[in-house]
Amino acid sequence: MSSASIPSPTPPSRARRRWKAITRKVREVVSIGSALASTDHPYMAQIVPMRRCNLSCTYCNEYDDFSEPVPLDEMLRRIDHLGRLGTSVITISGGEPLLNPHLEAIIARIRKTGAIAGMITNGYLLMPEKIHRLNEAGLDHMQISIDNVMPDAVSKKSLKVLDKKLQMLAEHAEFHVNINSVVGGGIANPDDARVVSERALGLGFSSTIGIIHDGSGQLRPLGDAERVTWDKVRSMTRRSYSRFNHFQEAIANGKTNNWRCRAGGRYLYICENGLVHYCSQQRGFPGVPLADYTVDDIKREFLTEKGCAPSCTISCVHQVSFIDFWRAPQKDTVDPGSSHKAGAPELVQIQ
Ligand code: SF4
Ligand code: SF4
């Protein structure tokens, strides 16, 4: 039978989707309660099972076009260790996770540890059968960033290309889907972000907006047209994420934030080589193998002040660190600013 003649799988019922959403929410509430009760475990880990990507967005410094997947047994060992550390949320990123032949096995293992399973993808390789396999593996969250309406030299992550995939997700996904739109970073038409967010909300997904910073990744105020789009999209999505309005506004205005980054403690970035880093933009700190990472490392990094924090634009780490904003002032100081790659633009995802 040719692939063209394979019938599309039956979409899940509304009742099944609703039940999945309720149980997911309960697990999230439990994970927050556990994080409030103890500071000795990571809340979120982002893990890279393969650096290769099928696209080549000009602003991105997180992909290559040649690497092989991390062997499955090694990935499972890493996930099991994150589980032993008590990690609440494990998110698969890349590169492009959908290129990885072991994706479903990785997701299933994340769920087996008791963690919430997420992934960040460009969505190009999604098909109904694949979405059903992700459902069955137990995926909880998917994020897709869409940069523009029409593909151009900067990015092919475009609504025109991906709209069909979004419709597939709306029909078949049992997991939560968030669509991230962006402004800045050479995106030609700032109003595209509004079009993307409206489409996402219309299909029943949540939507967020991010800023792509040019050059060194330093804070930079939005231009007038970008600001108009920013305000419009924020007014559409503000209700769900009001806690972070202050942080978002400071970034949009090019101002610094006063906060305690808990990277290395509450948030871990695990590269394809199995090393623990603070985040995607601070690779090399602490830079030790995950297999050797212990509760002592978590406790130390939790209390370590990061010199890059005031001008940091990494929203997911800010959100994770928000859990502990009211306690445990940091003392030791590390200034990893020199690890920024010269000229490496930074993708900033803001919820
Ligand atoms: S932004 Fe995403 S889709 Fe674009 S090159 Fe980087 S990893 Fe690939
Ligand atoms: S860049 Fe941001 S998230 Fe990364 S270590 Fe610095 S302050 Fe933390």
Side-chain angles (χ1 to χ4, degrees):
M1 186 185 281
S2 73
S3 61
S5 60
I6 295 174
S8 192
T10 307
S13 67
R14 279 173 71 95
R16 181 175 169 83
R17 287 176 173 211
R18 194 159 176 75
W19 174 246
K20 289 265 178 174
I22 291 169
T23 54
R24 192 165 55 236
K25 184 58 78 183
V26 169
R27 288 164 52 227
E28 286 169 3
V29 170
V30 169
S31 75
I32 297 281
S34 154
L36 288 170
S38 166
T39 61
D40 293 351
H41 65 272
Y43 185 75
M44 177 183 288
Q46 192 169 323
I47 190 163
V48 176
M50 184 168 66
R51 193 54 78 179
R52 182 152 51 95
C53 187
N54 51 339
L55 301 183
S56 53
C57 307
T58 58
Y59 55 75
C60 179
N61 61 7
E62 296 185 46
Y63 79 101
D64 66 32
D65 59 2
F66 55 86
S67 60
E68 295 296 320
V70 176
L72 179 59
D73 56 351
E74 178 57 29
M75 274 306 295
L76 300 184
R77 267 195 293 277
R78 291 175 192 175
I79 289 164
D80 287 348
H81 192 68
L82 288 172
R84 280 192 294 276
L85 291 174
T87 313
S88 303
V89 181
I90 302 177
T91 297
I92 303 164
S93 70
E96 173 46 52
L98 289 172
L99 288 173
N100 192 300
H102 311 304
L103 182 59
E104 289 86 347
I106 294 169
I107 292 168
R109 192 62 157 246
I110 291 172
R111 289 297 307 275
K112 198 171 172 204
T113 69
I116 294 163
M119 68 180 282
I120 300 170
T121 171
N122 62 39
Y124 261 64
L125 301 175
L126 286 170
M127 293 298 287
E129 297 76 17
K130 185 71 175 177
I131 296 168
H132 278 256
R133 287 202 294 275
L134 296 173
N135 287 342
E136 283 157 22
L139 184 67
D140 290 302
H141 294 283
M142 173 181 285
Q143 171 152 302
I144 301 178
S145 262
I146 299 184
D147 295 343
N148 48 26
V149 173
M150 300 296 291
D152 61 19
V154 172
S155 173
K156 307 277 185 291
K157 294 194 299 184
S158 310
L159 187 58
K160 174 149 177 67
V161 182
L162 289 167
D163 197 68
K164 192 89 187 149
K165 307 296 183 184
L166 299 189
Q167 291 175 47
M168 290 176 191
L169 283 167
E171 192 175 357
H172 295 283
E174 293 177 359
F175 42 86
H176 167 253
V177 177
N178 183 67
I179 305 300
N180 192 60
S181 60
V182 296
V183 289
I187 301 300
N189 183 3
D191 193 52
D192 282 5
R194 177 191 58 79
V195 177
V196 169
S197 283
E198 280 183 353
R199 179 61 174 153
L201 295 173
L203 285 167
F205 307 139
S206 64
S207 182
T208 50
I209 183 166
I211 301 171
I212 305 174
H213 285 287
D214 297 318
S216 64
Q218 290 301 297
L219 290 174
R220 186 171 305 181
L222 295 178
D224 291 345
E226 291 165 336
R227 182 79 217 192
V228 168
T229 297
W230 173 264
D231 288 340
K232 278 185 190 160
V233 175
R234 293 280 312 287
S235 70
M236 289 191 278
T237 60
R238 185 182 300 269
R239 203 159 52 89
S240 331
Y241 299 106
S242 55
R243 287 174 304 170
F244 300 101
N245 281 348
H246 180 74
F247 174 66
Q248 295 171 10
E249 278 306 309
I251 290 174
N253 293 326
K255 293 186 176 151
T256 57
N257 275 298
N258 180 15
W259 65 297
R260 295 168 187 152
C261 170
R262 308 290 185 179
R266 286 300 206 188
Y267 177 93
L268 310 179
Y269 179 90
I270 317 300
C271 73
E272 66 276 29
N273 299 318
L275 303 178
V276 179
H277 310 272
Y278 283 162
C279 65
S280 65
Q281 303 304 312
Q282 290 294 357
R283 285 177 249 169
F285 297 87
V288 303
L290 175 63
D292 300 334
Y293 216 66
T294 66
V295 175
D296 287 343
D297 295 304
I298 290 167
K299 287 179 174 174
R300 183 192 64 244
E301 296 298 345
F302 184 82
L303 293 174
T304 300
E305 185 178 356
K306 318 302 189 300
C308 42
S311 59
C312 171
T313 49
I314 312 286
S315 166
C316 56
V317 185
H318 186 95
Q319 291 181 32
V320 167
S321 301
F322 188 80
I323 298 169
D324 305 293
F325 80 93
W326 52 279
R327 62 182 169 191
Q330 293 172 318
K331 41 188 188 214
D332 304 322
T333 302
V334 64
D335 186 1
S338 60
S339 76
H340 278 300
K341 291 181 181 147
E346 187 172 66
L347 172 62
V348 187
Q349 295 178 337
I350 296 172
Q351 291 193 340

